[in-house]
């Protein structure tokens, strides 16, 4: 079922707001700014999907969502790590990342298939295993 781009944008806005409220609460409890580290796994992303009309609409949506996150929640992200990127992802990333500020873009790491050691610098190995990345 196609929910439409507007509904997805609305969902992301609500998600960001909820996450922001929770992170604010944790920051007050801990006495330090709490930020999130996000891992996006692109294993299985096919070029045919990206080039389809749905894929192009998806890229437009990702650009809008990233821009919204950057404008309204700039300090919520500590780092975004994109793993198992297909070879064509560089082209896709250029189209998506053009909306990011230099400061936000510096928080993004794109890693291919050999990502475990990079993730292990920031994420406990037990947590990585729970995320489906056993060593």
């Amino acid at each position: 079922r196609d929910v439409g781009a507007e509904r997805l944008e609305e969902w992301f806005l609500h998600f960001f707001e909820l996450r922001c409220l929770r992170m604010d609460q944790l920051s007050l409890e801990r006495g330090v700014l709490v930020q999130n580290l996000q891992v996006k796994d692109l294993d299985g992303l096919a070029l045919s999907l990206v080039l389809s009309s749905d894929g192009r609409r998806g890229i437009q949506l990702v650009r809008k969502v990233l821009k919204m996150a950057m404008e309204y929640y700039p300090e919520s992200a500590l780092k975004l790590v994109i793993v198992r990127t297909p070879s064509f992802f560089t082209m896709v990333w250029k189209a998506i990342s053009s909306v990011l500020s230099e400061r936000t873009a510096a928080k993004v790491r794109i890693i291919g298939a050999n990502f475990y050691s990079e993730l292990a610098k920031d994420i406990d190995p037990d947590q990585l295993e729970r995320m489906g990345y056993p060593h």
Side-chain angles (χ1 to χ4, degrees):
R1 179 179 135 192
D2 185 3
V3 297
E6 281 185 30
R7 288 278 293 151
L8 282 172
E9 287 176 47
E10 183 180 319
W11 183 89
F12 275 107
L13 182 60
H14 289 291
F15 170 78
F16 289 147
E17 283 294 318
L18 265 172
R19 185 175 63 188
C20 188
L21 287 170
R22 180 65 179 137
M23 290 171 58
D24 285 349
Q25 179 184 26
L26 289 171
S27 294
L28 289 171
E29 290 171 7
R30 297 177 183 176
V32 297
L33 178 63
V34 173
Q35 297 174 297
N36 68 65
L37 185 152
Q38 297 181 36
V39 178
K40 304 297 181 193
D41 189 336
L42 300 186
D43 188 37
L45 180 64
L47 182 59
S48 58
L49 174 63
V50 173
L51 296 177
S52 71
S53 61
D54 285 342
R56 288 191 301 275
R57 284 197 319 256
I59 288 172
Q60 290 171 347
L61 177 64
V62 169
R63 285 173 51 95
K64 282 184 178 180
V65 168
L66 282 173
K67 188 173 183 178
M68 183 180 2
M70 182 184 68
E71 287 178 11
Y72 300 112
Y73 312 97
E75 295 306 318
S76 66
L78 173 67
K79 188 183 292 188
L80 168 63
V81 183
I82 306 171
V83 301
R84 296 201 277 203
T85 56
S87 58
F88 64 84
F89 185 70
T90 304
M91 170 188 70
V92 174
W93 183 246
K94 283 183 181 180
I96 293 171
S97 64
S98 63
V99 300
L100 300 179
S101 70
E102 190 175 311
R103 180 178 174 158
T104 301
K107 296 179 180 186
V108 179
R109 284 269 310 169
I110 299 173
I111 307 170
N114 300 317
F115 58 88
Y116 187 89
S117 61
E118 183 67 28
L119 289 181
K121 291 177 185 176
D122 297 306
I123 302 173
D124 185 85
D126 289 339
Q127 181 67 27
L128 285 172
E129 191 162 332
R130 284 193 299 275
M131 293 169 63
Y133 302 124
H135 194 341

